[in-house]
Amino acid sequence: MNVFKNYINGEWTESKSGKTFPNINPANTDETVGLFQSSTADDVNDACTAAVNAQSAWAALPATKRGEYLFKAAELLEARLAQLGEEMTREEGKTLPEALGEVKRAINIFRYFGGEGSRQFTYQVPSERENVVCYTIRKPLGTVALITPWNFPSAIPAWKLAPALVAGNTVVLKPASLAPLSAYRLVEALHETGIPPGVINYVTGSGGSVGDALTSNSAINAVSFTGSTSVGNALYEKVSPRKIRIQLEMGGKNPTIVLADSDLDYAADTLINGAFFSTGQKCTACSRAIIERSIYEPLVEKLVEKTLKLKIGNGLEPGVQIGPAVDEAQLKTDLDYIEIAQREGAQLLCGGKRLTGSSYDKGFFIEPTIFSAVNCEMRIAQEEVFGPVLALMPVDNFDEAMKLANDVRFGLSASIISKDLTRVHQFINQIEAGLITVNLPTAGVEYQLPFGGTKESSFGMREQGPQALDFYTETRTVYLKYTQ
Ligand code: NAP
């Protein structure tokens, strides 16, 4: 059995607890992918101390040199792409093509932010005064805590690590306990580049112990968190009195509006992609389809027909389109919501059950599920399920569609399917979402653009794209007179 260690001050170390926890394959619970350290507050403290001690020398390096470590790590990761994709499927359950795509994305993120070593734009503006130049500079924040979820176990750690490091911060990363191996591989690649000890530290263990100790540590100058709204909100309450910077990326209840002018096959395929791929376990997954009534019946018919043909199974098997839920608890949440929806009067059109028999019995497989006759008061229309469950809502016109789309507390991503440019622009202007797509699924974002939501989906500055550096740096303003 592979035992994976923490990475503290440039060394692979066991936890002082002497204990480990298993990382289980959700498609085959007979397989333990590896054992990871059940770390303690002492381990976290060591990691924070190492990070603090390494920070000033790291910040003093030219940013282009910091970027070179990311370029080198990207090369190492690329050479291992096949292995890392397979490992991700084993630990998280997503299909192999999805996993390979995610690792590739992490590599691209390292390259993109490696390039920020030679950009990190600031600005200069004319002064009101003679012989004075005014401009801004960026300073790193210091030591940053990075806390990540299981659903993008490589891309999310990558899009936090890379901008944090290139900006001159040192980091302590706590990955999700359900999928810590993918992040381990990023850290391993950075280690192999010869990155100075202490610049990056990786500590595994539960949110309640390691996450809590990390966000309580007074050495931490900022927290970047991605995960559930409940944990994010609690972290905000806890951290904000210290007046350190915090960035929260949380849940969604993302709508797709389908207008009557749409091609029905295209609309059905787009909905299926957004709602069911990655088992609906994307923060940007579509969970509400708001459809103009004149096309409702024929579109629903196509949607159900195509959904019933989806191949569900172990993501390592060729042709499988949808893997399992990540664990028993997530599967139970999915099934609970399916029961609640039926109790509240939604009409089950397809799916709704755990898959059983033969190899399904070894994993947490669930049928992609579609509900019709959903209204705004139902919990299935308001709460994040984080599984392959789609709620259909018929509407009479565009205005009603917009009203329903915005009638939730979340605002992460949203899409519209239509050829009507006027409606499309009205949608872009009126929708309450940070990520807006047109004739595309709600999910599927690119690293070179800012990422984040509105309302209760996000708090703080954007991740990814050049804006990511705004979170990881403090702006300082210089007024310089070049005469006396
Ligand atoms: P989660 O339960 O909130 O966990 C996220 C991370 O926080 C994990 O590393 C977790 O550790 C840690 N954690 C838990 N309790 C903590 C505490 N008290 N203090 C500090 N850290 C703590 O979320 P998840 O189930 O992993 O991920 C699914 C959620 O993430 C969904 O709601 C999804 O929408 C959201 N998400 C949002 C985005 C976005 O960008 N908006 C992207 C992806 C996912 P353990 O793993 O050890 O519990």
Side-chain angles (χ1 to χ4, degrees):
M1 176 65 58
N2 282 329
V3 179
F4 295 91
K5 296 181 179 171
N6 288 333
Y7 183 68
I8 298 175
N9 205 20
E11 308 222 326
W12 298 103
T13 53
E14 285 175 4
S15 165
K16 289 178 177 153
S17 72
K19 293 186 189 143
T20 57
F21 65 91
N23 175 3
I24 307 285
N25 180 344
N28 174 10
T29 52
D30 287 347
E31 185 194 351
T32 299
V33 178
L35 297 175
F36 287 78
Q37 304 300 310
S38 289
S39 306
T40 63
D42 266 1
D43 300 318
V44 172
N45 203 33
D46 290 349
C48 291
T49 304
V52 168
N53 290 342
Q55 202 268 325
S56 53
W58 179 244
L61 271 187
T64 50
K65 295 264 177 252
R66 296 197 294 265
E68 278 169 23
Y69 288 103
L70 294 173
F71 288 137
K72 279 189 218 151
E75 261 175 57
L76 292 167
L77 293 167
E78 194 151 56
R80 297 165 194 167
L81 179 63
Q83 174 206 335
L84 302 197
E86 189 182 315
E87 284 177 351
M88 188 188 294
T89 296
R90 288 188 195 283
E91 74 167 347
E92 201 271 355
K94 64 181 65 181
T95 65
L96 187 56
E98 287 171 331
L100 289 168
E102 185 183 333
V103 178
K104 186 72 188 130
R105 183 163 156 203
I107 292 165
N108 288 339
I109 289 167
F110 272 22
R111 292 210 167 108
Y112 176 81
F113 284 104
E116 279 298 336
S118 55
R119 290 189 294 267
Q120 306 209 12
F121 293 127
T122 56
Y123 65 92
Q124 180 178 344
V125 290
S127 172
E128 292 179 335
R129 288 170 281 185
E130 276 186 15
N131 299 339
V132 170
V133 288
C134 327
Y135 59 97
T136 60
I137 58 171
R138 291 178 185 272
K139 297 297 266 183
L141 302 177
T143 293
V144 183
L146 310 178
I147 300 180
T148 55
W150 47 264
N151 66 325
F152 284 101
S154 184
I156 294 179
W159 82 52
K160 293 185 192 298
L161 279 171
L165 294 176
V166 82
N169 301 285
T170 55
V171 303
V172 180
L173 167 66
K174 189 216 110 45
S177 300
L178 286 172
L181 179 55
S182 298
Y184 178 99
R185 294 301 185 205
L186 300 181
V187 174
E188 179 183 59
L190 282 162
H191 167 69
E192 288 173 25
T193 65
I195 201 164
V199 168
I200 169 166
N201 301 276
Y202 162 96
V203 186
T204 54
S206 78
S209 57
V210 172
D212 186 57
L214 183 56
T215 51
S216 304
N217 196 298
S218 59
I220 293 296
N221 302 107
V223 176
S224 178
F225 166 85
T226 302
S228 60
T229 304
S230 58
V231 174
N233 287 345
L235 282 184
Y236 174 79
E237 294 299 326
K238 177 179 162 189
V239 166
S240 54
R242 278 163 53 205
K243 298 193 174 58
I244 59 171
R245 205 172 275 188
I246 184 163
Q247 174 181 58
L248 306 167
E249 286 300 340
M250 302 175 285
K253 193 71 203 171
N254 311 305
T256 296
I257 293 177
V258 189
L259 295 188
D261 64 71
S262 300
D263 177 282
L264 297 189
D265 277 301
Y266 187 85
D269 290 339
T270 308
L271 285 170
I272 285 172
N273 180 316
F276 299 141
F277 288 178
S278 298
T279 324
Q281 297 175 148
K282 290 177 181 167
C283 52
T284 49
C286 170
S287 51
R288 297 180 294 146
I290 301 168
I291 302 166
E292 276 199 299
R293 212 175 290 278
S294 60
I295 54 160
Y296 190 76
E297 290 301 331
L299 176 55
V300 169
E301 199 176 306
K302 279 190 188 292
L303 198 54
V304 170
E305 189 190 311
K306 287 173 189 274
T307 299
L308 290 172
K309 288 188 187 144
L310 292 171
K311 192 169 169 201
I312 299 137
N314 187 326
L316 291 177
E317 284 168 23
V320 164
Q321 292 162 289
I322 296 177
V326 73
D327 70 348
E328 189 139 31
Q330 183 60 55
L331 178 70
K332 182 174 179 315
T333 301
D334 298 349
L335 294 170
D336 285 351
Y337 270 106
I338 288 165
E339 198 197 311
I340 292 165
Q342 287 174 284
R343 221 185 309 133
E344 291 187 342
Q347 185 194 344
L348 182 66
L349 294 183
C350 67
K353 292 193 298 298
R354 180 177 187 164
L355 285 158
T356 52
S358 64
S359 58
Y360 285 139
D361 287 338
K362 290 190 185 257
F364 307 115
F365 296 97
I366 177 168
E367 296 170 332
T369 300
I370 302 178
F371 282 107
S372 185
V374 175
N375 67 49
C376 246
E377 281 69 50
M378 293 178 183
R379 288 179 63 189
I380 198 91
Q382 293 293 334
E383 297 173 21
E384 184 184 54
V385 177
F386 221 54
V389 182
L390 179 62
L392 306 183
M393 308 165 95
V395 288
D396 288 329
N397 53 45
F398 175 77
D399 290 339
E400 193 189 348
M402 287 306 305
K403 195 164 170 293
L404 286 195
N406 285 333
D407 189 13
V408 289
R409 65 192 177 105
F410 297 107
L412 189 56
S413 66
S415 73
I416 188 165
I417 303 176
S418 172
K419 298 178 198 129
D420 181 335
L421 264 186
T422 304
R423 290 303 191 206
V424 164
H425 276 282
Q426 287 169 336
F427 170 79
I428 292 169
N429 286 332
Q430 294 170 25
I431 192 71
E432 293 163 4
L435 303 161
I436 302 168
T437 69
V438 178
N439 293 320
L440 289 168
T442 50
V445 298
E446 303 182 25
Y447 55 86
Q448 69 275 32
L449 290 145
F451 177 95
T454 61
K455 294 159 87 174
E456 290 189 40
S457 288
S458 300
F459 176 81
M461 296 175 197
R462 291 290 189 246
E463 300 203 84
Q464 305 191 70
Q467 280 80 357
L469 291 174
D470 293 341
F471 177 76
Y472 291 103
T473 57
E474 187 180 77
T475 298
R476 303 215 181 143
T477 311
V478 180
Y479 298 91
L480 183 157
K481 188 171 179 203
Y482 52 85
T483 56
Q484 290 192 353

